[in-house]
Amino acid sequence: MAPAQGQFSDHSDGVESKDHAEGPPVPPAFLAAVDALRSARLRPELEVEVTRPPQRLAPHAYAMEAAVVDGEDDLADGRLVLLHDPAGHDAWQGAFRLVTLVRAELEPEMAADPLLPEVCWSWLTGALDARGLSYGEAGGTVTRAGSHYFGALSTRRPATQIEIRASWTPRESRGGVPDTASHLMAWGDLLCQIAGLPPSDPTDAAVVTLPQRRGPQVS
């Protein structure tokens, strides 16, 4: 992946439009929202690349994948998709929607915390609120799954993964374009937080982080 410092891979522009080949051009509002995503400045621990967006979720879509990298280890990874329907969408209560999947491996003792799902969800909304972003219709799930290894794999330590699936509607400005760059930066904050990294502002004592991950596992 290429470092997420305003630079994205050039192999694809990542813009998907169902009517691109035979319909009207891609709306300027969507192009502006995508341009803002591509210009966002993220933390240096994040690596990001443009990927092919899902089909048939909306007339226009743009997708990115990212990972929090520490040396050769990926501490967390995720995907963020920007959807746009110029006609608006009743369920979204707007013309844009952001959809995400975020995953990270946790220490078993952390995964046993009964409040972990609520805490992880608060990390998402807290990341958006911390940047003063206006959004609505937020919804999603937090799932934790444990793996125990047997037989030839019995030397591996038990692993527990947390997964956040969520979507929300970024509120549009007067020009009809949401501040997608700030939403992407908030999403990057969430990825770093679930990876166990300290907040970018070390004086922010209100942020709760996971402990640092163990070193590489021997299989």
Side-chain angles (χ1 to χ4, degrees), residues 85-199:
D85 187 341
H89 197 292
D90 290 341
W92 303 350
Q93 294 296 301
F96 287 89
R97 189 75 170 171
L98 285 163
V99 182
T100 188
L101 164 66
V102 173
R103 298 171 299 192
E105 187 174 314
L106 304 179
E107 298 288 353
E109 55 270 25
M110 280 295 300
D113 186 342
L115 296 179
L116 183 64
E118 289 82 1
V119 170
C120 288
W121 182 255
S122 73
W123 290 344
L124 169 62
T125 57
L128 296 170
D129 295 339
R131 292 190 177 271
L133 294 170
S134 179
Y135 63 95
E137 307 304 316
T141 61
V142 177
T143 304
R144 53 184 164 186
S147 299
H148 295 264
Y149 301 93
F150 301 93
L153 302 179
S154 60
T155 57
R156 295 186 182 181
R157 294 175 177 174
T160 302
Q161 187 179 76
I162 194 75
E163 178 182 278
I164 302 173
R165 293 179 180 266
S167 63
W168 65 95
T169 298
R171 296 305 185 199
E172 301 160 24
S173 66
R174 292 182 180 179
V177 181
D179 184 0
T180 51
S182 293
H183 281 270
L184 174 58
M185 289 188 286
W187 181 72
D189 294 339
L190 169 66
L191 266 175
C192 289
Q193 189 165 14
I194 200 173
L197 299 185

Side-chain angles (χ1 to χ4, degrees), residues 4-160:
Q5 295 298 312
Q7 299 179 5
F8 291 80
S9 57
D10 296 328
H11 60 80
S12 170
D13 62 10
V15 175
E16 184 71 24
S17 173
K18 291 194 297 184
D19 56 11
H20 179 73
E22 54 190 34
V26 179
F30 179 66
L31 292 177
V34 169
D35 285 344
L37 288 175
R38 295 174 65 89
S39 66
R41 305 284 293 182
L42 304 180
R43 289 180 56 165
E45 300 92 345
L46 280 165
E47 294 187 354
V48 63
E49 65 180 13
V50 179
T51 187
R52 186 171 180 83
Q55 305 290 312
R56 296 182 292 276
L57 291 181
H60 310 280
Y62 182 85
M64 293 170 291
E65 293 179 342
V68 181
V69 178
D70 179 18
E72 296 182 354
D73 299 326
D74 287 358
L75 303 182
D77 63 80
R79 192 180 197 208
L80 184 69
V81 180
L82 174 67
L83 304 176
H84 178 52
D85 187 341
H89 197 292
D90 290 341
W92 303 350
Q93 294 296 301
F96 287 89
R97 189 75 170 171
L98 285 163
V99 182
T100 188
L101 164 66
V102 173
R103 298 171 299 192
E105 187 174 314
L106 304 179
E107 298 288 353
E109 55 270 25
M110 280 295 300
D113 186 342
L115 296 179
L116 183 64
E118 289 82 1
V119 170
C120 288
W121 182 255
S122 73
W123 290 344
L124 169 62
T125 57
L128 296 170
D129 295 339
R131 292 190 177 271
L133 294 170
S134 179
Y135 63 95
E137 307 304 316
T141 61
V142 177
T143 304
R144 53 184 164 186
S147 299
H148 295 264
Y149 301 93
F150 301 93
L153 302 179
S154 60
T155 57
R156 295 186 182 181
R157 294 175 177 174
T160 302

